[in-house]
Amino acid sequence: MARPRKPLLSTDRIVATARDLVDREGLAAVSTRRLAAELGVSGPSLYNHFRTKDELLEAVADSVSALVDLSMFEDGRDWRTALHDWAVSYRAALRDHPNIVPVLARGPGRRPAALRLADAVYGAMVEAGWPPAQATSIGALMRYFIMGSALGSFAGGFVDDASAYDPADYPHLGQAHLLAEQQEKIDERAFEAGLSALLDGLAQQYEQVRV
């Protein structure tokens, strides 16, 4: 019998399958047995690629970091525009894969794509004239803001039952039951408002450091 042109199992295939499983069912769904079943292979064969579940989840997290566009730090955009466009791309990647955010929130560790992301942001800020210490802080605060926005939906946290918001108890939440149906619009608007305010504040600081 001829040998198949492509190997049955590869690191990329394992990571893609694990990412899909995490997207559908969360981090707790990932196990050697479950992943082997999804891939149609024996469990022990996975250990040739990943020794532990944590190692696999780190790879899944890095595959999501690799989806973030970094071109804005290389094509001549000013630092504020670059930060804005990067933040939008970063949030989009996390929005598409929200269940992996707790792993990403641990920090880049040794993950190559995550380290390239951190390097790109820091390098662009220093090149734009930010002092190194402040460039580090900018990377941190942007990460806090973007990660926080991906951890859950503000609008989606309200139930669509008007009776849950008795005006006797919550006199200002008479329309709260309508928020969930406008979830995407409200969350996008809030993210853009917060991002603009954050960048406005940084722009004021920038004027001071450039004096």
Side-chain angles (χ1 to χ4, degrees):
M1 181 179 294
R3 180 175 297 179
R5 293 181 180 180
K6 294 183 179 180
L8 179 63
L9 200 59
S10 69
T11 298
D12 288 345
R13 184 179 171 220
I14 294 171
V15 170
T17 302
R19 184 175 61 226
D20 183 59
L21 182 58
V22 171
D23 287 344
R24 296 193 326 260
E25 301 182 33
L27 296 172
V30 179
S31 68
T32 299
R33 177 180 297 179
R34 180 66 188 281
L35 191 55
E38 293 275 332
L39 289 161
V41 300
S42 63
S45 63
L46 297 177
Y47 294 115
N48 294 324
H49 299 268
F50 296 100
R51 293 170 296 179
T52 66
K53 176 179 175 177
D54 281 347
E55 189 176 293
L56 171 59
L57 290 178
E58 286 288 306
V60 171
D62 211 38
S63 74
V64 174
S65 293
L67 300 174
V68 181
D69 183 15
L70 299 177
S71 64
M72 64 285 297
F73 297 118
E74 302 170 353
D75 62 10
R77 273 173 264 190
D78 65 90
W79 69 266
R80 175 176 174 147
T81 302
L83 275 184
H84 175 276
D85 295 347
W86 166 71
V88 170
S89 177
Y90 199 173
R91 179 171 180 264
L94 300 188
R95 184 187 57 216
D96 290 343
H97 305 280
N99 291 334
I100 199 64
V101 172
V103 179
L104 285 164
R106 299 173 189 167
R110 296 178 181 273
R111 289 184 249 120
L115 288 171
R116 284 193 293 272
L117 187 155
D119 181 74
V121 175
Y122 176 80
M125 295 306 101
V126 170
E127 187 174 340
W130 286 95
Q134 286 180 271
T136 299
S137 296
I138 289 170
L141 71 89
M142 292 296 290
R143 180 169 167 272
Y144 298 151
F145 176 70
I146 298 165
M147 289 280 183
S149 74
L151 285 174
S153 165
F154 171 80
F158 292 86
V159 299
D160 60 359
D161 179 4
S163 67
Y165 309 105
D166 189 327
D169 297 319
Y170 314 108
H172 306 295
L173 296 181
Q175 300 296 308
H177 64 287
L178 302 176
L179 293 176
E181 66 183 31
Q182 299 290 325
Q183 175 179 332
E184 184 174 351
K185 180 179 179 180
I186 292 170
D187 290 345
E188 288 289 339
R189 189 170 59 206
F191 178 78
E192 279 293 341
L195 181 57
S196 294
L198 188 156
L199 294 174
D200 284 346
L202 286 177
Q204 291 182 11
Q205 293 183 31
Y206 187 68
E207 292 303 317
Q208 296 174 6
V209 303
R210 297 291 287 173
V211 172

